[in-house]
């Protein structure tokens, strides 16, 4: 299995506070813990040619992890389309935190993906509401993050195929924080936490969830479906009574 | 449309504090606000013959509202079976609060329906997570109840067909508080609030939700399905190639 | 309630065979049976200014019915965007037959919406798989259409929120023919039958389903959600232990 | 991973025609192909003490496969209850064909699980409707069985969490043939084919689906949830405004 971690990588370059939390970038932090678990993980960033997501790279990617925030608009339509086609073809996609507003997530969801938010260093608890789900494997009753950005309902997404986590926030809100979807042959997982100023991707439980999600999202399923004009499998008219 | 509100009606008779909140019983309070909205609503209670749920009563009931708590075990199996068959036949069922542990709800869910709970006069906010749902009609972003019993995840239910409300509790928990299901031709709605010591059923938003739910749950759908040995609709063997 | 029926209206103008089946156009046929049932229904077509879907028209439309086939590409992006925003705002949308490939349906689904098809005058049976659903109200075990175009799986849509009908085709295929979705505050129903050369929209059961769907899809739900930066509802930091 | 294959094993003993198709019993046939794929699989049958399903056996079982038909009523309540608790605790359950009417399946579903049926040696095609699902891994567009018993809609089950296969039958019916559910920490898969008089479990595609299902259903997920009276995680009352 080959994972590609895509990161906008702008906050890290502009903001020393972010760089101090993620010296190798958010993509680097994720790559590190996935690699430690034996996952073959590469990175790609916005400012590389083709945003680091050439057709060849995507064709060799089983699961793509996506973090973006302030530069969603800079992602080229042709790259979005390329990623989209790969998802329909079976590539897994893990969308993190502010990636809810990325072009690719909105295109796959068919909704605005809007939400409430607040930066107030508040406590978050991600409660497991589906204890049977492999993405929650090894997690206790909840994941606690002492300080995070708040995301609150209403989150304008289609009803998830599976709801794995629901967040509680100190300031009074809740959020559907772990949501699975299928699009074509591809699996999609949205996972809420990970504001750039907090060490969320250094949290062992958050790392476990991303590792589980990557395993869950890897390509599987039936042979590639065939579309278009089809010959009948049975004689038509033979049955007319 | 004819609604029957079933109540165990034991707390009200034993506990003056509960009686002072609900002088006519929880069933009486619900009947009152439904009637004011023009809904034909009757009541039935545990200590009536057949718990007030004779075959005739159930046959004439379009939607049954259920509140029970300390006497789930006293509900006779034959009455549970009668209610169950009526749900499969199309009667709507609204299960309130501690009714999560009623025999009829557990039978329809196929799970333990267990949960966490705490009585600590804490604040609850029921956030609307499905703003398109008719059960949330006329509700703002959330319903606030200044004091309620806490119910927390994990709530051991099947993933709801639709999730309408998610509760936030002051003490740190979340809960899937408004859940729809279909069983046979019948619709089921579980709605969390309503501990007997709080004036929850006097809250205008809670009343609106129950009124909406009753409208949503009324019988509809296709003609009664036919089961068993079936004649072929098409000649079999004619198509063999 | 105000319904607008949108039709591409090209086959009717080009093909006498289609015109003989639908002398007033497919939109006219649908308008007629909805009006007879007391529904206030207007029509709009591709070749009208703004395709007949001005902002004002859409703002006054509760449910939009959509039929298109050979001219999907001619529908202007700005009109698609306008319809999309209205769906997220609560307008119902009923997509018929070849509308599966319309820009608006693909945008709302987030998938290719591709499928198999065949024109061979074959028998279709739409089996009710959710007998509790109001869209199936008054329908028997199945709807039989003596001759229709075949649509076959795999149908590349997200798993429907609710699956109401599954079609059987004489030539050996099946199809998820009645699918509900929610997007934002809006409800969407895809209904398969209705190839332009068959008198499908004159079928009483098909008419009943469309009438039911229009009732089901009308706006309901909570007040309009608020998005963006939100003040805390609770004091943050007060609970630090 | 340890799989236990449970079979009623009555047809095989009474009916030479069945015995000639399954000389080692249906359980033996399933054990054989699972073992060949490296799965540690044991069998258990109705006439063994405790139906071969002692607490110890179930505690060591990761996934239970269930085939029953004419002797559902002979399965003791206490064994049903034992299996039920193990499913809620995380044991996977694969229910085959006429197992739709088993006590354990009905208890987990909360519905009658009734359906239409016909024994007429007719052709069945199981179409993949979810090509992303690991249970469909390696399967083409459909599985064809030249002769099977027909099962037809309406199938009185809750809407499946995931619908993987839909069957087409020569005689004119369709059926939701591959359905996933979650109950507590356990995963359940219902798979339609396998009437005792046909060599269905010798079909390579059917074997692949059962092997995939066993992998999919193995225990995973979060730590065991805790239920009951819970201490607050946050100070209550501190936030009163």
């Amino acid at each position: 299995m080959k994972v590609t971690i895509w990161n906008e990588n702008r906050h890290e370059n502009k903001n020393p506070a972010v760089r101090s939390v993620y010296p190798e970038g958010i993509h680097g932090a994720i790559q590190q813990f996935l690699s430690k678990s034996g996952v073959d993980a590469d990175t790609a960033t916005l400012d590389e040619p083709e945003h680091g997501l050439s057709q060849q790279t995507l064709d060799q990617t089983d699961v793509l992890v996506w973090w973006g925030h302030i530069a969603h608009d800079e992602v080229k339509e042709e790259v979005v389309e390329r990623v989209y086609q790969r998802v329909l073809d079976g590539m897994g996609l893990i969308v993190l935190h502010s990636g809810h507003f990325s072009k690719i997530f909105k295109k796959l969801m068919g909704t605005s993906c809007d939400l409430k938010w607040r930066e107030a260093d508040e406590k978050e608890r991600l409660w497991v509401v589906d204890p049977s789900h492999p993405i929650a494997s090894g997690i206790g009753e909840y994941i606690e993050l002492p300080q995070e950005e708040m995301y609150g309902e209403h989150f304008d997404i289609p009803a998830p195929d599976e709801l794995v986590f629901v967040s509680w926030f100190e300031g009074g809100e809740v959020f559907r924080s772990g949501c699975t979807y299928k699009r074509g042959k591809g699996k999609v997982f949205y996972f809420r936490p990970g504001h750039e100023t907090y060490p969320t991707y250094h949290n062992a439980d958050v790392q476990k969830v991303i590792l589980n999600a990557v395993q869950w999202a890897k390509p599987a399923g039936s042979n590639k479906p065939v579309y278009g004009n089809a010959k009948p499998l049975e004689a038509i008219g033979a049955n007319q009574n």
Side-chain angles (χ1 to χ4, degrees), chain A:
Chain A
M1 185 177 58
K2 174 72 177 299
V3 173
T4 301
I5 302 144
W6 190 87
N7 183 17
E8 190 183 274
N9 196 29
R10 290 282 169 86
H11 292 291
E12 294 90 331
N13 287 328
K14 286 181 183 172
N15 186 339
V18 175
R19 196 160 52 242
S20 77
V21 181
Y22 296 111
E24 319 289 330
I26 285 175
H27 53 296
I30 295 174
Q31 183 191 33
Q32 219 165 3
F33 71 74
L34 287 180
S35 297
K36 269 192 195 160
S37 298
V39 175
D40 179 6
D42 261 342
T43 64
T45 54
L46 180 62
D47 292 327
E48 296 173 44
E50 303 185 69
H51 312 324
L53 298 173
S54 67
Q55 189 64 54
Q56 196 189 356
T57 296
L58 286 173
D59 285 348
Q60 293 169 356
T61 297
D62 291 303
V63 181
L64 180 65
V65 177
W66 192 278
W67 198 101
H69 184 210
I70 45 169
H72 293 313
D73 285 349
E74 295 181 42
V75 179
K76 286 180 213 145
E77 294 301 331
E78 68 189 79
V79 175
V80 174
E81 184 63 27
R82 210 182 275 161
V83 172
Y84 175 72
Q85 290 301 337
R86 278 289 296 136
V87 171
L88 297 189
D89 268 12
M91 183 183 73
L93 178 69
I94 314 295
V95 176
L96 297 173
H97 189 63
S98 42
H100 75 92
F101 255 169
S102 62
K103 288 178 180 176
I104 181 61
F105 190 61
K106 290 195 289 185
K107 186 176 174 72
L108 286 162
M109 294 295 105
T111 54
S112 75
C113 301
D114 212 342
L115 47 75
K116 283 204 191 65
W117 59 272
R118 180 171 58 236
E119 296 186 43
D121 294 345
E122 66 199 277
K123 194 183 293 181
E124 174 178 13
R125 261 186 218 103
L126 297 104
W127 288 91
V128 175
V129 298
D130 182 351
S132 75
H133 205 287
I135 290 181
S137 198
I139 300 296
E141 297 200 287
Y142 59 86
I143 300 171
E144 179 157 321
L145 301 172
Q147 294 193 325
E148 251 290 354
E149 183 183 6
M150 183 282 291
Y151 276 8
E153 296 283 346
H154 176 242
F155 184 18
D156 186 24
I157 47 170
D161 291 348
E162 300 168 309
L163 180 61
V164 186
F165 297 103
V166 172
S167 284
W168 175 97
F169 287 97
E170 204 178 340
E173 285 86 1
V174 299
F175 196 74
R176 288 168 292 169
S177 279
C179 301
T180 80
Y181 295 92
K182 293 166 178 175
R183 292 293 181 264
K185 287 196 63 181
K187 298 188 196 71
V188 179
F189 180 59
Y190 174 79
F191 190 46
R192 197 212 77 83
H195 192 61
E196 66 273 6
T197 57
Y198 304 111
T200 296
Y201 298 117
H202 300 312
N203 177 289
D205 278 345
V206 168
Q207 293 181 356
K208 202 176 295 178
V209 168
I210 294 173
L211 179 61
N212 290 340
V214 157
Q215 300 286 354
W216 169 84
K218 66 175 184 286
S222 70
N223 301 340
K224 198 180 158 80
V226 180
Y227 299 108
N229 200 344
K231 285 191 190 159
L233 299 160
E234 300 291 312
I236 293 168
N239 276 334
Q240 260 139 31
N241 21 22

